């Protein structure tokens, strides 16, 4: 106890011993009128940027500044003015007369050996523009190199360690992974890993990955051409063009990509059904050609000088998928063994269309703003399968033909109101409405029979939500609290049978609160609580099935329920160190498993609700900057337990997760990259998972307008993902094989220049990714 008291005393002395002062002032023009909008930067006498802020009404303030010599820099309307150097040894206040005749800036670059990661309340803000990460081949590769982020084995989804599937945002837009994966890295300014999201990020998900795009105000045009050659188990080529033009208050964006993807994917399961004396193992491998055409058109128009604007966006993604899926199954029942080879000829067409309209109105006299918007998204998936079985090497014979059509439409509208009563009090409130409708229409024709199998499943869901959020700042303390109410009505109907029919009408409340204490900029402490929900995707609710072999099918689950989570987190920032601790409890967590079908005598791979999940973690984040070397490191100790009455649970084991991201600059234009992550072998109640150690190498080089990036990912071939589970009479071990190692070469050429883009856009539909 004495040791703890002594440690606290020393800690308090360390805080209070620092002498810090404030710098404040007023900015006026030559007519003694306050400048409406300007950027204010504080530099030390070594020209290092110390702090920056935006002055909206001709005033500014920097708090908790160390004793030193500084000068103030003012930027307004692309013009710059540096004030004389002064020594700070007490609170400093000044009046600055901004001279509008100073030289106009063509471009301002501040070069500093700076930290690329900022930590606030347990959330990480990672600078991309000023780091070697800005040169990686694509946004998927960028995300895979961030701490806590794990890309799945087929490269079409991601997860957040200890948090599950996160929400994805681009600025204020909620998007899905397909939109993020088509984003140009050149447009990304920073990425925020929000481990404790507030109520403004909706009620869904435990974590948020927010991508902030570059913004500027200068007119001009810019065209970026990018070519990437990627060698995995199969060769793929990615070609994209991004065009941007800005004139006065109008801005246009056009982007197009044509990707020739040779997709390779494989997984397999060993399983045993004791009650039926069944043992089986199978491996399915898919090799298909996926030419992908992506197109986007965006328009943004400022309406006045108060920040009012309208924006419109139209995006489409067309991706045919043709090729063969092959399954090899070794099956034993009642001591009788058989071997079946299944060939599936696939002809698939997937299309996504997304359209948005946003309007924002600022009310300066009321110190308030109103945002309203509308969004439409359509997803379609039309696929034809021909299945042939080769039993015990007797030759391939036609088994069945399936034609599956899935389509979904989502219509959305929302309104957000923000009112700032003072610098100490801000109120946010709003509401939204989403209406979704999906149709699954499947036809199956079997060999040696004229009878056809039919499935027509119609699903409808509407969601009405309102929320209110209040921010209160009291000197060094801050309190943020909010609550969201959502009413959901869901209907599911099978045209041919009532077995799958559902009807749900439920109302949920989602509170969120944060209490923080910040004695100065180097120390910060916060306590967060949040209740959240995870809803199943509409595709997983569909009951249409995919034939894998005579003994295995892949099928949706119309009876899936939403998962609810309560999370409590404690965060502390101690200069360059960040410490986190969290506890959570989930009701109805979702996961994939094999389920045995007694009637058909086959196993079905599907997603189900488990009873409960609990867990927690302790973590530390630290960034080291030394000369030309930058290293971001993250370490966490985790424990998770998933429970279910129908599954066998093992002894829970804690596990560590570690990630490191390193860059070393040889010269101004050449840098070497090394990043790695390790997650230990673990038992999470009913699930057992393998350990994985991923190591990636990279080299970036810039020559004028040409950027060259070479990458070698997963050099030790550790991307195979293994899970073990015993659930409802089936003991299974599943392996999802990674499409690695990956060698890629990217060439990026930039034409023209736009100093800044004002483009803003908000996603209205918060559930579009569920399609």
């Amino acid at each position: 106890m004495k040791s703890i008291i002594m440690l606290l005393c020393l800690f308090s002395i360390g805080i209070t011993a620092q002498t810090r002062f404030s710098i404040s002032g007023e900015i006026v023009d030559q007519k003694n009128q306050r400048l409406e909008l300007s950027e204010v930067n504080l530099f030390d006498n070594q020209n290092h940027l110390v702090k920056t802020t935006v002055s909206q009404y001709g005033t500014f303030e920097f708090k908790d500044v160390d004793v030193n010599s500084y000068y103030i820099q003012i930027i307004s309307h692309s013009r710059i003015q540096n004030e004389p150097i002064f020594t700070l040894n007490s609170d400093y206040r000044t009046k600055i007369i901004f001279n509008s005749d100073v030289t106009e800036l063509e471009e301002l670059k501040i070069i500093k050996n700076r930290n690329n990661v900022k930590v606030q309340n347990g959330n990480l803000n990672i600078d991309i523009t000023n780091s070697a990460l800005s040169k990686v081949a694509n946004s998927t590769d960028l995300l895979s190199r961030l701490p806590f982020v794990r890309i799945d084995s087929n490269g079409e989804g991601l997860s957040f360690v200890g948090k599950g599937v996160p929400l994805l945002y681009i600025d204020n837009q909620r998007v899905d992974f397909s939109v993020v994966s088509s984003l140009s890295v050149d447009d990304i300014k920073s990425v925020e890993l929000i481990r404790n999201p507030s109520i403004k990020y909706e009620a869904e998900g435990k974590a948020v990955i927010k991508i902030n795009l570059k913004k500027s105000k200068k007119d001009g045009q810019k065209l970026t051409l990018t070519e990437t050659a990627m060698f995995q188990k199969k060769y793929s080529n990615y070609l994209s063009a991004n065009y941007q033009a800005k004139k006065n208050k109008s801005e246009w964006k056009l982007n197009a990509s044509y990707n020739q993807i040779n997709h390779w994917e494989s997984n397999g399961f060993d399983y045993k059904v004791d009650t039926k004396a069944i043992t089986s193992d199978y491996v399915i491998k898919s090799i298909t050609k996926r030419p992908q055409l992506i197109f986007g058109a965006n328009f943004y128009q400022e309406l006045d000088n108060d920040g009012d604007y309208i924006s419109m966006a139209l995006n489409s993604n067309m991706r045919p998928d043709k090729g063969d899926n092959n399954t090899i199954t070794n099956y034993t029942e009642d001591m009788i063994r058989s071997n079946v080879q299944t060939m599936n000829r696939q002809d698939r067409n997937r299309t996504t269309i997304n359209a948005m309209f946003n309007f924002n109105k600022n009310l300066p006299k009321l110190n308030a703003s109103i945002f309203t918007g509308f969004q439409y998204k359509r997803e379609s998936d039309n696929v034809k399968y021909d299945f042939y079985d080769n039993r015990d090497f007797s030759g391939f014979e036609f088994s069945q033909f399936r034609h599956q059509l899935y389509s979904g439409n989502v219509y959305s509208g929302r309104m957000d109101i923000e009112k700032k009563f003072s610098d100490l009090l801000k109120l946010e409130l709003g509401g939204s409405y989403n209406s979704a409708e999906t149709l699954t229409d499947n036809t199956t024709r079997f060999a040696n029979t004229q009878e056809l199998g039919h499935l027509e499943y119609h699903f409808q869901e509407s969601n009405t939500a309102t929320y209110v959020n209040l921010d209160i700042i009291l000197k060094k303390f801050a309190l943020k609290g909010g609550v969201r109410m959502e009413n959901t009505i869901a209907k599911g109907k099978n045209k041919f049978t009532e077995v799958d029919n559902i009807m749900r009408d439920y109302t949920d409340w989602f509170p969120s609160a944060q209490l923080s204490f910040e004695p100065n900029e180097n120390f910060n402490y916060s306590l967060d609580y949040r209740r959240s929900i995870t809803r199943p995707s509409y595709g997983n609710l569909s009951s249409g099935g995919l034939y894998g072999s005579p003994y295995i099918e892949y099928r949706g689950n119309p009876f899936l329920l939403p998962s609810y989570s309560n999370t409590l987190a404690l965060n502390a920032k101690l200069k360059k160190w960040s410490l986190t601790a969290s506890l959570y409890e989930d009701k109805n967590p979702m996961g994939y498993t094999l389920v045995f079908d007694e009637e058909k005598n086959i196993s079905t791979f599907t997603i189900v609700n488990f009873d409960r999940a609990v867990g927690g973690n302790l973590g530390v984040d630290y960034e080291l900057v030394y000369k030309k070397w930058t290293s971001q490191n993250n370490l966490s100790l985790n424990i998770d337990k998933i429970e279910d009455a129908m599954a066998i649970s093992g002894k829970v084991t804690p596990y560590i997760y570690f990630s490191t991201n390193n860059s070393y600059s040889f010269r101004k234009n050449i840098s070497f990259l090394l990043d790695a992550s390790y997650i230990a072998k673990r038992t999470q109640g009913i699930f057992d998972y393998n350990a994985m150690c991923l190591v990636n190498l990279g080299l970036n080089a810039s020559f004028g307008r040409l950027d060259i990036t070479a990458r070698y990912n997963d050099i030790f071939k550790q991307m195979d993902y293994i899970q073990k589970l015993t659930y409802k009479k089936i003991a299974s071990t599943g392996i999802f094989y990674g499409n690695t190692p990956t060698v890629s070469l990217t060439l990026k050429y930039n034409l023209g220049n736009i100093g800044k883009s004002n483009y803003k856009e908000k996603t209205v539909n918060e559930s579009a990714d569920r399609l």
Side-chain angles (χ1 to χ4, degrees):
M1 186 66 183
K2 291 181 179 180
S3 300
I4 296 176
I5 294 174
M6 183 175 293
L7 183 62
L8 291 174
C9 291
L10 291 174
F11 180 73
S12 301
I13 292 171
I15 295 177
T16 57
Q18 301 180 47
T19 304
R20 296 172 177 273
F21 301 102
S22 66
I23 301 172
S24 60
E26 180 183 16
I27 309 171
V28 298
D29 59 19
Q30 293 168 309
K31 297 180 180 180
N32 204 33
Q33 300 293 319
R34 286 189 175 184
L35 262 63
E36 291 186 1
L37 184 65
S38 61
E39 180 181 336
V40 185
N41 298 315
L42 181 66
F43 289 85
D44 63 19
N45 55 5
Q46 301 297 319
N47 294 322
H48 292 163
L49 179 63
V50 178
K51 289 191 175 186
T52 184
T53 187
V54 174
S55 171
Q56 294 185 338
Y57 304 104
T59 62
F60 67 91
E61 182 178 14
F62 298 113
K63 296 180 179 180
D64 298 323
V65 183
D66 291 327
V67 173
N68 202 348
S69 296
Y70 301 97
Y71 70 89
I72 298 172
Q73 180 187 81
I74 310 296
I75 301 175
S76 179
H77 298 290
S78 299
R79 298 181 183 276
I80 184 172
Q81 177 172 312
N82 292 330
E83 292 296 294
I85 293 178
F86 62 92
T87 300
L88 182 69
N89 49 28
S90 63
D91 289 342
Y92 180 81
R93 182 166 180 81
T94 183
K95 181 177 181 179
I96 298 173
I97 301 175
F98 186 77
N99 183 4
S100 60
D101 296 328
V102 295
T103 304
E104 182 172 348
L105 282 174
E106 186 65 29
E107 184 175 12
L108 173 65
K109 289 186 179 180
I110 301 170
I111 301 174
K112 179 189 176 188
N113 191 13
R114 54 177 292 180
N115 291 349
N116 291 321
V117 179
K118 296 180 180 179
V119 181
Q120 184 75 20
N121 296 327
N123 305 319
L124 280 68
N125 190 326
I126 302 173
D127 179 29
I128 304 300
T129 303
N130 299 301
S131 73
L133 291 172
S134 63
K135 305 301 182 182
V136 299
N138 52 60
S139 56
T140 301
D141 191 17
L142 170 64
L143 290 175
S144 70
R145 290 163 44 77
L146 300 181
F148 306 107
V149 179
R150 302 187 69 83
I151 304 295
D152 63 20
S153 57
N154 66 2
E156 295 190 347
L158 54 77
S159 61
F160 200 104
V161 174
K163 300 287 186 178
V165 179
L167 300 184
L168 299 176
Y169 277 77
I170 297 178
D171 285 336
N172 292 316
Q173 318 169 42
R174 181 175 171 185
V175 296
D176 58 20
F177 185 76
S178 63
V179 177
V180 172
S181 61
S182 62
L183 186 66
S184 172
V185 176
D186 190 52
D187 291 334
I188 299 175
K189 177 183 178 181
S190 63
V191 178
E192 296 180 48
L193 304 179
I194 304 175
R195 292 181 280 191
N196 305 300
S198 69
I199 197 69
K200 73 176 184 179
Y201 292 108
E202 308 303 325
E204 190 143 355
K206 297 180 184 178
V208 171
I209 298 177
K210 183 181 179 184
I211 298 173
N212 300 309
L213 302 182
K214 297 176 182 177
K215 297 177 174 64
S216 185
K217 288 186 175 181
K218 199 168 182 64
D219 291 348
Q221 301 181 67
K222 183 178 181 180
L223 175 65
T224 302
L225 302 175
T226 305
E227 161 67 22
T228 299
M230 186 172 293
F231 301 86
Q232 295 174 297
K233 289 184 170 62
K234 298 293 179 179
Y235 169 76
S236 296
N237 190 81
Y238 299 80
L239 177 64
S240 66
N242 293 273
Y243 173 75
Q244 182 179 352
K246 184 178 184 299
K247 180 67 175 177
N248 298 326
K249 296 182 179 182
S250 302
E251 186 174 345
W252 301 266
K253 286 185 177 182
L254 296 172
N255 67 279
S257 300
Y258 180 68
N259 305 321
Q260 281 284 3
I261 302 173
N262 293 302
H263 185 74
W264 183 97
E265 185 178 351
S266 179
N267 68 78
F269 270 82
D270 296 347
Y271 65 92
K272 179 170 62 174
V273 185
D274 290 333
T275 57
K276 292 286 186 177
I278 294 174
T279 60
S280 179
D281 65 82
Y282 75 89
V283 175
I284 182 171
K285 181 170 64 176
S286 174
I287 301 177
T288 61
K289 294 184 180 295
R290 295 184 177 181
Q292 186 179 54
L293 180 60
I294 299 172
F295 174 77
N298 304 267
F299 173 72
Y300 170 78
Q301 178 68 51
E302 286 187 74
L303 301 179
D304 51 33
N305 294 324
D306 293 329
D308 301 345
Y309 68 86
I310 60 171
S311 66
M312 293 176 284
L314 177 65
N315 304 281
S316 65
N317 189 337
M318 292 168 282
R319 45 202 189 280
D321 191 1
K322 297 183 179 181
D324 291 339
N325 306 312
N326 294 283
T327 307
I328 299 177
T329 305
N330 296 303
Y331 184 82
T332 302
E333 184 174 2
D334 295 329
M335 303 301 292
I336 300 175
R337 298 182 179 182
S338 62
N339 175 277
V340 180
Q341 300 177 42
T342 302
M343 182 175 64
N344 168 14
R345 293 175 177 171
Q346 173 181 299
D347 186 356
R348 186 178 189 183
N349 287 282
R350 292 182 291 173
T351 302
T352 303
I353 298 175
N354 186 68
M356 290 184 291
F357 173 81
N358 296 167
F359 171 69
N360 189 82
K361 176 66 177 177
N362 287 326
L363 305 171
K365 294 183 179 180
L366 297 177
N367 208 5
S369 64
I370 300 175
F371 168 83
T372 185
F374 304 93
Q375 185 173 357
Y376 166 74
K377 183 177 182 180
R378 174 174 176 80
E379 184 91 14
S380 64
D381 189 356
N382 189 343
V383 59
K384 298 178 181 179
Y385 298 112
D386 280 305
F387 296 94
Y388 298 83
D389 288 334
N390 178 1
R391 295 177 180 268
D392 296 322
F393 310 101
S394 60
F396 282 97
E397 295 182 359
F398 174 73
S399 172
Q400 57 181 270
F401 168 80
R402 295 193 181 193
H403 182 197
Q404 300 181 350
L405 176 62
Y406 167 79
S407 62
N409 298 280
V410 180
Y411 304 87
S412 310
R414 70 177 296 159
M415 177 177 287
D416 300 295
I417 301 173
E418 180 179 312
K419 167 64 178 176
K420 190 174 183 180
F421 294 95
S422 67
D423 291 338
L424 307 179
L425 183 62
K426 183 175 71 173
L427 176 68
E428 296 173 306
L429 54 91
S432 63
Y433 177 77
N434 298 325
S435 177
E437 182 177 8
T438 67
L439 176 66
T440 302
D441 189 348
N442 296 346
T443 301
T444 305
R445 177 167 58 87
F446 300 97
N448 304 320
T449 179
Q450 298 297 319
E451 183 180 355
L452 297 179
H454 289 286
L455 168 68
E456 186 173 318
Y457 195 78
H458 190 202
F459 179 80
Q460 294 176 298
E461 183 180 276
S462 63
N463 179 274
T464 305
T466 58
Y467 75 91
V468 61
N469 195 56
L470 187 66
D471 291 359
I472 303 174
I473 301 176
L474 300 173
K475 293 185 178 180
K476 297 180 180 181
F477 288 90
L479 176 63
K480 298 180 180 181
V483 63
R484 184 179 182 89
M485 185 277 289
E486 295 188 357
N487 175 256
T488 303
I489 300 174
K491 300 178 182 179
K493 184 177 181 180
N494 190 323
K495 182 178 179 180
F496 299 101
T497 174
E498 295 185 357
V499 175
D500 297 339
N501 290 358
I502 59 172
M503 176 64 190
R504 302 189 184 109
D505 186 347
Y506 54 94
T507 300
D508 293 311
W509 295 85
F510 301 99
S512 174
Q514 180 187 90
L515 176 64
S516 62
F517 171 63
E518 187 172 5
N520 54 63
E521 65 178 4
N522 289 321
F523 296 89
N524 177 271
Y525 312 89
S526 66
L527 179 65
D528 294 83
Y529 167 75
R530 187 171 189 258
R531 185 173 190 260
S532 59
I533 187 173
T534 301
R535 295 185 176 89
S537 70
Y538 301 128
N540 283 330
L541 291 168
S542 166
S543 55
L546 171 63
Y547 180 86
S549 78
Y551 311 109
I552 189 75
E553 277 196 350
Y554 297 81
R555 184 175 294 275
N557 183 359
F559 301 110
L560 278 175
L561 297 173
S563 175
Y564 296 91
S565 180
N566 291 283
T567 304
L568 184 67
L570 179 64
N571 311 282
K573 176 188 174 184
L574 311 175
K575 293 188 176 180
K576 292 184 178 182
W577 296 84
S578 175
L579 308 178
T580 62
S582 69
L583 297 171
Y584 75 88
E585 180 183 28
D586 291 351
K587 179 184 177 183
N588 304 326
M590 289 176 280
Y592 283 95
T593 183
L594 282 175
V595 178
F596 188 73
D597 189 323
E598 297 279 357
E599 293 184 4
K600 297 182 179 180
N601 202 43
I602 63 172
S603 299
T604 302
F605 187 72
T606 187
I607 185 170
V608 300
N609 288 114
F610 300 113
D611 293 339
R612 181 173 175 260
V614 293
N617 70 78
L618 296 171
V620 58
D621 309 317
Y622 181 75
E623 184 180 36
L624 175 63
V625 179
Y626 179 73
K627 294 184 178 180
K628 296 181 179 182
W629 176 46
T630 300
S631 179
Q632 171 64 34
N633 303 281
N634 309 88
L635 176 67
S636 65
L637 176 65
N638 310 270
I639 186 167
D640 302 286
K641 182 179 182 181
I642 303 174
E643 304 172 344
D644 194 274
M646 306 298 293
I648 296 177
S649 182
K651 183 180 179 181
V652 176
T653 58
Y655 62 96
I656 63 169
Y657 167 79
F658 173 74
S659 71
T660 181
N661 197 320
N662 302 269
S663 65
Y664 182 83
S665 300
F666 292 102
R667 298 180 180 178
K668 181 180 179 181
N669 61 331
I670 300 177
S671 58
F672 172 75
L673 310 176
L674 169 64
D675 62 275
S677 65
Y678 172 76
I679 187 167
K681 183 179 180 181
R682 59 215 179 272
T683 298
Q684 299 179 346
I686 63 177
F687 283 103
D688 288 327
Y689 295 105
N690 64 309
M692 296 175 68
C693 181
L694 307 179
V695 179
N696 309 315
L697 301 175
L699 186 67
N700 295 332
S702 298
F703 305 96
R705 295 180 178 272
L706 178 64
D707 295 330
I708 302 175
T709 302
R711 294 282 297 165
Y712 186 9
N713 293 345
D714 192 16
I715 61 177
F716 297 122
K717 301 180 182 179
Q718 292 281 298
M719 196 64 183
D720 294 347
Y721 177 84
I722 303 173
Q723 73 169 37
K724 296 181 180 180
L725 170 69
T726 300
Y727 180 78
K728 286 188 176 180
K729 305 176 183 179
I730 293 186
S732 63
T733 299
I735 304 177
F736 301 85
Y737 298 97
N739 188 11
T740 57
T742 301
V743 179
S744 65
L745 179 65
T746 300
L747 303 177
K748 181 186 294 183
Y749 191 73
N750 301 289
L751 296 169
N753 181 63
I754 292 182
K756 188 166 180 175
S757 165
N758 279 333
Y759 201 89
K760 300 176 184 178
E761 195 174 83
K762 289 186 180 181
T763 284
V764 178
N765 173 21
E766 298 295 345
S767 300
D769 57 326
R770 294 174 62 202
L771 283 175

